[in-house]
Amino acid sequence: MSIHKQKNFRMLAVALLAMGATMSAAQADDDRDERYGWRLGEKSAGKYGGENRGKPLQPAQTNAKFQKECSDCHIAYAPGLLPAESWRKVMAGLDKHFGSDASLDAQDNKEITAFLVNNASNRWSAPTAPLRISETAWFKRKHDGHEISPAVWKNPLVKSPANCAACHPRADRGDFNEHDIRLPK
Amino acid sequence: MFRIFYKLGLVFVAVAGLAAQPAFAETPNEILASIQKEAAGTPGFSAARGESFFKAKHGGEWSCASCHTENPAALGKHAKTGKVIDPLAPSANAERFTSPKKVDKWFKRNCNDVLSRACTPQEKGDVLAYLLTVKK
């Protein structure tokens, strides 16, 4: 190897190492709980009694219809937050959707249902299928009285546990990073 | 030679794009005209009636103004989720009443929420006539 080539090789190696390090740091941040959960829960029903979310991020391959049709009244909740069966139920009852009519035509409904089901939580092992993210065991655990005082929930800027963006500024992208949380004053 | 074909192709795509537009986008007045056809046989639309319909409750918890506010040229706010809603009056929001599919979808949903039934063509026409009189 000429000196020149050696230098290039070293630079490449450093760059690759750096990339690897940032990637695993990012992953660790996102998946710390889950990996811990996997280890603990291997023999039991899994973390949170099996009511565990998958990746909260919007999938890299998103769906334009979903983004448009599911963000008119609230943020488009990332599909990984609920299991497939929950999404099937939500999508089958859009005409009576939490006190509101959110019905879609049959074709749009079919396309969005397929997207949600294909990207649903991959860690859900319980036989349950709640309609609300805010009723799942993982959600309750992360948002219990220990983490958030009752006064915060009464703040009119919060209104509802479903209002993720009140505390998670990038909730619409499925980014719930702990470091960004801002409780409204 | 190839370059020329390529360029012609681009021009064709651009023209096709322009020509395709009117099929999706309509003006609020065109949408009003098609509601008028549905409402054939009724005495015509009234902006004043549309305004009182818009601001009144009809047996339920919400009026149209609960989310679109008393001033449809202003930003609205979803009564349940708090999400901001762009103004409904075409004078304040050029995208309103330009897609028949979108208009139908929301009349169906919102009338169900406010009246527990579909709106009649008369009611829809009155509301749109009213919204068209709202100045920015």
Side-chain angles (χ1 to χ4, degrees), chain A residues 72-73 93-103, chain B residues 53-54 56-68 78-81 85 104-119:
Chain A
D72 277 321
C73 304
L94 281 183
D95 55 332
K96 294 198 172 62
H97 181 73
F98 306 100
S100 219
D101 182 339
S103 51
Chain B
F53 177 87
F54 193 86
K57 290 186 181 173
H58 302 267
E61 191 187 341
W62 294 327
S63 68
C64 309
S66 303
C67 295
H68 296 295
H78 194 284
K80 179 126 181 212
T81 66
I85 302 174
D104 284 350
K105 178 178 73 186
W106 284 101
F107 266 133
K108 174 172 187 271
R109 290 173 168 178
N110 291 167
C111 290
N112 248 339
D113 283 354
V114 171
L115 301 104
S116 304
R117 62 165 172 82
C119 288

Side-chain angles (χ1 to χ4, degrees), chain A residues 77 139 143 148-168 181-185, chain B residues 77-83:
Chain A
Y77 300 114
F139 183 96
H143 301 84
I148 303 166
S149 81
V152 172
W153 295 116
K154 293 205 189 90
N155 187 326
L157 290 171
V158 176
K159 274 178 91 117
S160 157
N163 188 9
C164 320
C167 308
H168 301 279
I181 296 173
R182 270 189 279 119
L183 298 184
K185 293 265 147 54
Chain B
K77 195 168 160 220
H78 194 284
K80 179 126 181 212
T81 66
K83 187 167 191 288

